[in-house]
Amino acid sequence: MPALACCVDAAHAPPGYAFPAGDSSLPFPVPCLPGVPLSTTSIHAAAAAASENSSGHWSPSLSAELYKIDGWGAPYFSVNSSGNVSARPYGTDTLPHQEIDLLKIVKRVSDPKWAGGLGLQLPLIVRLPDVLKNRLESLQSAFDFAIQSQAYEAHYQGVYPVKCNQDRFVVEDIVRFGSPFRFGLEAGSKPELLLAMNCLCKGNPEALLICNGFKDVEYISLALIARKLSLKTVIVLEQEEEIDLVIEMSKKMSVRPVVGVRAKLRTKHSGHFGSTSGEKGKFGLTTTQILRVVKKLEQAGMLDCFQLLHFHIGSQIPSTALLSDGASEAAQIYCELVRLGARMQVIDIGGGLGIDYDGSKSGDSDLSVAYGLEEYALAVVQAVKFVCDRKNVKHPVICSESGRAIVSHHSILIFEAMSSSSTSASAASMTSYEMQYYLSRLTEDAHADYRNLTASAIRGEHEACVLYADQLKQSCVDQFKEGNIGMEQLAAVDALCELFYKTFGASDPVRTYHVNLSLFTSIPDFWGIGQLFPIVPIHRLDQRPSARGILSDLTCDSDGKIDKFIGGESSLPLHEIEGGGAGGNGGKYYLGMFLGGAYEEALGGIHNLFGGPSVVRVSQSDGPYSFSVTQAVSGPSCGDVLRVMQYEPELMFETLKHRVEEYCHHDEDSDDSDGDHRMGSIATVANCPC
């Protein structure tokens, strides 16, 4: 088989091309002069040229541009001179020495205790309360400026919807940080109402407690108790029949309630998050229903209790034009309620203040918004003021329920890429001799396809070469299924065809990076609604990424992968996972998912019984690393997760202990120490993070 020997000799390339050694990431065919033998020197020279071409000059600023960090990350994240992602805890007011290197946090947290670390396992959630405080202050400042510039005659005081992230320390931080400007809480269920009541006992006495969501007798009773405890509680009606319960229970408990209604506006948000808006929205009352509520309150002698109007266009409002339209419609309803005799005080514009997930600052995407905090606040204040001035109505207090915009930036999910794989691995793992040996033992039909392949390669017919390679692979797959060729021959054909694909640019360059997290636990919105988050290597950003990849999680589920990224990309620029201390970090490769502080933790499940990540709170300090870890919580153990599913690990341990004892008793080669070792291993697994 002279033709066969020719093709698989040396670098296994068809005449006229050589494959650069040591580069499996990108195809780089090197022309050879006809009649000149391909030497080892020429291969190494080609490899060196390819290496120089792929590494070239690179800088942290180029990585910041590549991953759009200056877009979605500003003003809280940047790339430092070491090529690591840094957090800027005070936003634009952060001084250079106050920046926090995320890689240093990972090292401090994950190093063993004997080495001065905390010994926690990844994945890891890093919470930055300084960022949370800055978000609250920035939102308040934006409204304060808009109110002052427009001569608005009332104030702004927001509430945080705890459903976005109910973590105790997050909610307590918000109440504490927001106390100087009367920042309150919003609850949508009885447990949320209980935690909100508890937290606001330590907050500003003027802070609002907004009660949204479905309300039964117990919910309304609890809200009225909160009113008795001097918390500024407002029961917001989501359904018309709730007013009957409020009137009945308030009379029984001798409590004068404060009531609001959620209005169904005609203004509709057309994006994915706008399904709760418009006349057919899930919650709220129509104008007809609001009029009936007014009548019932008037008949009960409680019309003065009606003091708040609430509306919600939808999350991620894309533009201030839509926001102004909705606020104007709501302000018109507010003025009409004043005319009807209600003692109105507050207009609650709900949620919807969006964040820029992809850095595009576009109003045409669910992933971005075409405004900042200042533009948002100005649009609301102008719209409400214009309507109220026209109707000669006193300006209401403006309240908002901005959750996503407050908590998203302060939380970072960090995880490790453990390994990577690609379809070209077979070509790199098979020697020239092995490939020639197995290919020579193919069937005659396969040899015919092979001859067509090599002939088209020699003639330089690229499209035909790829076509014949596909044909050869399929032919061999069919013959393998029929038992006519062995696994070794099939692998040799795969390796050979991959070499041809790479030469002619038809190879799929995308690799699969296997990461140590569960998508369903840590990023459920990606799986559930296709929500995209910025994902970036947190180090080695002073190096050019040499590969592209998708991310595959640890679960036994085909949906456990991330193959869509911001910017419309189906893969992510990544670096090689190297050993022996690559990047000065022992060969480990860390990625971060940003802007995930809202919803992900509460929505995450335990698919495959993988528990949640470890969590640390990190504050800026004047120490040598610019930060201090103020709290560290290890991820749930295997025993913790089993308890969630109603198992009792202690009883399971006893059952397995009896089994071990029985096994060791009947095994002549085992002794008591062997049984103790087995039980020790089981106990270790049960108590380690899962």
Side-chain angles (χ1 to χ4, degrees):
M1 301 291 298
L4 179 65
C6 171
C7 189
V8 300
D9 183 48
H12 323 298
Y17 288 90
F19 292 96
D23 180 10
S24 59
S25 60
L26 298 172
F28 194 82
V30 182
C32 297
L33 295 175
V36 178
L38 180 63
S39 66
T40 305
T41 304
S42 65
I43 294 177
H44 288 310
S51 176
E52 182 179 354
N53 180 70
S54 63
S55 59
H57 171 71
W58 197 254
S59 66
S61 61
L62 291 175
S63 285
E65 182 180 352
L66 176 66
Y67 294 106
K68 301 179 174 64
I69 296 175
D70 293 337
W72 56 260
Y76 299 107
F77 302 103
S78 61
V79 183
N80 63 29
S81 59
S82 298
N84 303 332
V85 175
S86 285
R88 298 168 52 82
Y90 311 120
T92 54
D93 294 330
T94 306
L95 301 176
H97 72 276
Q98 295 173 325
E99 294 188 6
I100 302 173
D101 190 318
L102 296 187
L103 185 62
K104 291 180 180 178
I105 295 177
V106 172
K107 182 173 176 56
R108 171 80 172 88
V109 168
S110 62
D111 275 357
K113 293 181 179 180
W114 59 262
L118 300 179
L120 298 184
Q121 292 188 11
L122 271 64
L124 172 72
I125 288 177
V126 177
R127 291 205 179 105
L128 302 169
D130 294 317
V131 171
L132 193 60
K133 184 173 187 286
N134 186 266
R135 291 298 292 174
L136 279 168
E137 292 172 345
S138 298
L139 178 61
Q140 184 71 39
S141 296
F143 271 99
D144 287 347
F145 178 79
I147 286 170
Q148 184 178 5
S149 67
Q150 298 301 307
Y152 192 81
E153 296 174 356
H155 66 272
Y156 164 80
Q157 62 179 105
V159 296
Y160 167 66
V162 297
K163 69 178 181 180
C164 289
N165 193 324
Q166 299 100 333
D167 180 82
R168 170 191 163 190
F169 297 100
V170 172
V171 179
E172 289 181 351
D173 279 345
I174 288 173
V175 171
R176 184 171 74 258
F177 297 151
S179 182
F181 28 85
R182 298 167 287 202
F183 215 87
L185 298 174
E186 179 269 345
S189 67
K190 283 172 279 192
E192 289 185 351
L193 179 53
L194 281 168
L195 73 86
M197 290 168 61
N198 175 70
C199 290
L200 285 177
C201 285
K202 303 172 185 177
N204 190 309
E206 294 300 312
L208 292 171
L209 173 53
I210 303 294
C211 300
N212 289 333
F214 173 80
K215 300 171 192 68
D216 57 13
V217 172
E218 290 79 12
Y219 188 127
I220 292 172
S221 298
L222 189 59
L224 292 172
I225 290 172
R227 185 76 183 163
K228 274 191 171 183
L229 297 176
S230 296
L231 297 174
K232 294 195 68 173
T233 311
V234 183
I235 301 173
V236 179
L237 307 178
E238 306 270 6
Q239 302 180 58
E240 183 182 354
E241 54 268 26
E242 291 172 356
I243 188 59
D244 299 320
L245 288 175
V246 171
I247 293 173
E248 178 186 351
M249 295 306 301
S250 63
K251 289 181 177 179
K252 281 185 179 181
M253 298 176 64
S254 300
V255 179
R256 199 75 175 167
V258 174
V259 177
V261 298
R262 174 169 174 171
K264 282 186 178 179
L265 302 185
R266 267 66 168 186
T267 304
K268 184 170 174 57
H269 173 3
S270 60
H272 168 80
F273 295 104
S275 59
T276 55
S277 63
E279 292 182 274
K280 296 182 179 180
K282 179 180 179 182
F283 298 111
L285 280 65
T286 63
T287 51
T288 301
Q289 292 174 313
I290 292 174
L291 288 172
R292 287 201 291 260
V293 167
V294 169
K295 186 174 182 181
K296 287 183 178 181
L297 286 170
E298 189 174 23
Q299 291 172 344
M302 297 172 63
L303 188 54
D304 61 310
C305 297
F306 193 171
Q307 298 182 16
L308 180 145
L309 178 70
H310 170 47
F311 70 94
H312 179 66
I313 299 176
S315 296
Q316 285 286 108
I317 297 173
S319 67
T320 53
L322 178 62
L323 176 65
S324 297
D325 194 20
S328 296
E329 183 184 351
Q332 188 69 36
I333 297 173
Y334 181 94
C335 292
E336 287 296 298
L337 290 171
V338 172
R339 181 182 65 81
L340 292 171
R343 191 176 295 175
M344 302 301 292
Q345 303 288 330
V346 181
I347 185 165
D348 180 351
I349 64 175
L353 172 55
I355 60 173
D356 191 357
Y357 285 104
D358 63 7
S360 66
K361 295 180 172 53
S362 167
D364 299 323
S365 167
D366 288 333
L367 295 176
S368 187
V369 291
Y371 55 82
L373 293 178
E374 293 76 12
E375 293 90 346
Y376 176 87
L378 186 61
V380 171
V381 171
Q382 285 179 334
V384 175
K385 181 179 187 297
F386 178 79
V387 174
C388 290
D389 286 350
R390 187 175 59 188
K391 292 285 187 176
N392 198 28
V393 170
K394 182 181 177 182
H395 296 167
V397 171
I398 296 176
C399 175
S400 73
E401 302 177 9
S402 303
R404 184 190 304 267
I406 289 175
V407 298
S408 291
H409 298 77
H410 96 289
S411 180
I412 308 149
L413 174 68
I414 298 177
F415 49 95
E416 183 182 355
M418 312 295 290
S419 63
S420 67
S421 59
S422 68
T423 56
S424 62
S426 57
S429 63
M430 188 166 289
T431 67
S432 171
Y433 175 79
E434 288 174 324
M435 189 183 296
Q436 183 174 350
Y437 175 80
Y438 290 121
L439 289 175
S440 66
R441 282 156 177 75
L442 292 175
T443 65
E444 189 56 40
D445 289 342
H447 281 153
D449 292 327
Y450 172 76
R451 283 191 291 270
N452 289 332
L453 171 61
T454 54
S456 61
I458 292 171
R459 292 193 297 268
E461 299 171 350
H462 294 189
E463 293 183 5
C465 187
V466 173
L467 178 64
Y468 284 127
D470 290 340
Q471 195 169 303
L472 173 61
K473 284 188 70 171
Q474 187 57 52
S475 173
C476 289
V477 168
D478 294 339
Q479 292 182 44
F480 176 75
K481 291 178 180 179
E482 295 171 1
N484 295 329
I485 64 173
M487 190 181 299
E488 296 89 348
Q489 283 93 344
L490 186 63
V493 169
D494 286 340
L496 177 71
C497 291
E498 185 60 34
L499 287 171
F500 277 102
Y501 291 149
K502 289 190 69 176
T503 301
F504 296 119
S507 177
D508 183 4
V510 177
R511 302 182 182 187
T512 298
Y513 282 67
H514 305 281
V515 297
N516 67 332
L517 86 161
S518 164
L519 177 69
F520 308 93
T521 299
S522 298
I523 321 178
D525 268 344
F526 176 83
W527 171 70
I529 62 173
Q531 174 70 43
L532 303 185
F533 298 91
I535 297 177
V536 179
I538 66 166
H539 61 132
R540 296 178 62 184
L541 297 178
D542 55 346
Q543 305 170 30
R544 182 195 299 269
S546 58
R548 298 194 69 91
I550 62 172
L551 307 180
S552 176
D553 76 354
L554 296 177
T555 65
C556 303
D557 197 305
S558 58
D559 284 338
K561 63 180 180 180
I562 303 176
D563 53 5
K564 293 182 178 64
F565 303 89
I566 62 169
E569 298 291 337
S570 58
S571 62
L572 190 67
L574 296 169
H575 304 84
E576 298 280 356
I577 300 178
E578 301 173 354
N585 204 55
K588 295 181 180 295
Y589 190 48
Y590 298 114
L591 303 173
M593 186 205 81
F594 295 79
L595 308 186
Y599 298 109
E600 300 315 290
E601 292 174 57
L603 291 174
I606 53 172
H607 183 45
N608 257 169
L609 297 190
F610 283 110
S614 303
V615 181
V616 294
R617 281 162 49 90
V618 176
S619 296
Q620 193 276 326
S621 73
D622 294 329
Y625 298 113
S626 300
F627 70 88
S628 60
V629 178
T630 59
Q631 184 190 33
V633 180
S634 177
S637 68
C638 294
D640 295 332
V641 174
L642 288 168
R643 288 187 187 93
V644 173
M645 303 306 293
Q646 309 303 314
Y647 291 93
E648 298 182 40
E650 295 79 13
L651 295 180
M652 296 169 65
F653 189 83
E654 286 300 316
T655 300
L656 293 171
K657 181 179 179 181
H658 291 315
R659 182 73 171 188
V660 168
E661 291 172 349
E662 179 184 2
Y663 174 80
C664 291
H665 178 72
H666 292 292
D667 189 349
E668 296 180 357
D669 296 329
S670 298
D671 54 24
D672 291 341
S673 63
D674 191 27
D676 292 341
H677 175 72
R678 288 189 175 96
M679 287 310 300
S681 298
I682 293 173
T684 299
V685 171
N687 292 311
C688 74
C690 50

